[in-house]
Amino acid sequence: MPPRPVPTPPSASPTTRPTAVPADLESRGKSLADELLRLVGVSCDVTVRPGHDTYWNSHAGFSGTYASQFAVTGLGAVKGATDELARQIRRVAAAVLGGVPEEAIVLEGGFAKLRDNPEAAIPFMGIGAIVNANNAILPEEVRDVTLNCRHVYVPPFQVPDKERKYGNLTLTYATQIHVCVLEVDPETGQYEIVDYAAVDDCGKRIHPQIVEGQVMGATAQALGAATHETFTYDEDGNLLTPNFYDYHVPHALDMPPLKTGYIESASPFTSLGTKGMGEGGGAGIHAVCAALQDALRPRGNPIVYDSCNPYHRVWEMLRDPEATRRLVAVESR
């Protein structure tokens, strides 16, 4: 069995070859690979090479898409690597097109062009062919160009200053606001979510359709956790919800009418202005609990003491509001 390497931070390795522009996105999917070369004005066929493998990186703290990893660290690495790739393409094109300054080259439409004479252009495929197969025409000053670029994204963390109470050990600061409207049957405790809205601010929305899906998915998980997803045990400690027949996972028929909106404020801490996304499930749990608390107020004002409130628990709170108060203590410290 070969030795496993030391886990590394997120990195990206785009490269230009005669036939394609592979890009290492650490197995985070092709859905955002379309955005890879657009970041630097490069338009070409894209192949995604899986760069994260659980055999080699099973213990890597930066692996996977959790905790805002993709848009911040993943695309941060991609941005740094593609910036360098674009610079190398401009260097080669500038040398081949008459030794003009690098600033005289623009990248657009799959070509490196002279800014003042767009008809003088070399396709990216041609740049790759020159470097990889026809480098005899390259001047000495660009012989170091490989078109294989790697960038490791390092978050701009700051060790907290205890006296100033200031620091930064978090990748991003995203926001989601959830609002829930529900109706409760006071006789049975059964309730229905009749309206729901979620507004997010994930910074620059790289792929709005994916963002919308993440908001809806997080909301579905929130509603499941708030209404019926729970491990229930009998008095002997036997699990009563051991399968997906007894443990109900929310599906499309469980979802209420869902309104979504967004605010786009770029993060000052990331290279693309992106923040986290898809982590709004916690907001939905609190929204449902707060709505229940408000709805039950006229019925003895019981305290919603748990984050998961199936119908039978709501019925118990309606039946004995005082019992809920005995479960909560208010302390002054």
Side-chain angles (χ1 to χ4, degrees), residues 106-245:
V106 294
L107 306 181
E108 60 181 20
F111 288 83
K113 305 177 181 180
L114 282 177
R115 188 183 302 275
D116 298 329
N117 182 18
E119 292 185 0
I122 305 174
F124 296 146
M125 183 182 296
I127 297 289
I130 290 171
V131 172
N132 291 283
N134 198 20
N135 57 10
I137 66 174
L138 284 178
E140 288 295 331
E141 62 268 22
V142 292
R143 289 289 179 94
D144 62 308
V145 170
T146 64
L147 299 180
N148 288 276
C149 307
R150 184 174 187 269
H151 179 81
V152 177
Y153 176 80
V154 179
F157 291 156
Q158 294 176 307
V159 176
D161 186 324
K162 295 181 180 179
E163 294 184 359
R164 295 174 55 212
K165 299 188 184 327
Y166 180 84
N168 181 30
L169 291 178
T170 300
L171 283 173
T172 60
Y173 298 86
T175 301
Q176 279 202 11
I177 298 175
H178 289 229
V179 179
C180 174
V181 178
L182 53 78
E183 294 178 350
V184 181
D185 183 340
E187 300 299 324
T188 64
Q190 185 170 346
Y191 59 93
E192 178 184 4
I193 299 174
V194 297
D195 206 358
Y196 200 97
V199 178
D200 72 90
D201 178 5
C202 65
K204 180 174 177 57
R205 293 157 64 93
I206 298 295
H207 198 305
Q209 187 176 12
I210 289 180
V211 171
E212 190 77 1
Q214 286 181 295
V215 171
M216 293 184 177
T219 301
Q221 289 187 311
L223 298 185
T227 58
H228 49 249
E229 285 192 71
T230 183
F231 290 121
T232 304
Y233 297 87
D234 63 16
E235 58 185 13
D236 296 322
N238 298 310
L239 181 63
L240 300 179
T241 53
N243 53 57
F244 288 125
Y245 180 82

Side-chain angles (χ1 to χ4, degrees), residues 225-226 230 285-286 288-294 296 301-330:
T230 183
I285 294 173
H286 296 298
V288 172
C289 290
L292 278 173
Q293 185 70 69
D294 184 65
L296 299 179
N301 197 22
I303 296 175
V304 179
Y305 59 90
D306 202 306
S307 60
C308 182
N309 292 282
Y311 301 150
H312 70 85
R313 179 166 292 161
V314 177
W315 178 77
E316 291 171 355
M317 289 189 287
L318 287 166
R319 186 185 63 174
D320 190 357
E322 289 300 324
T324 65
R325 295 188 179 88
R326 292 192 293 270
L327 298 174
V328 179
V330 179

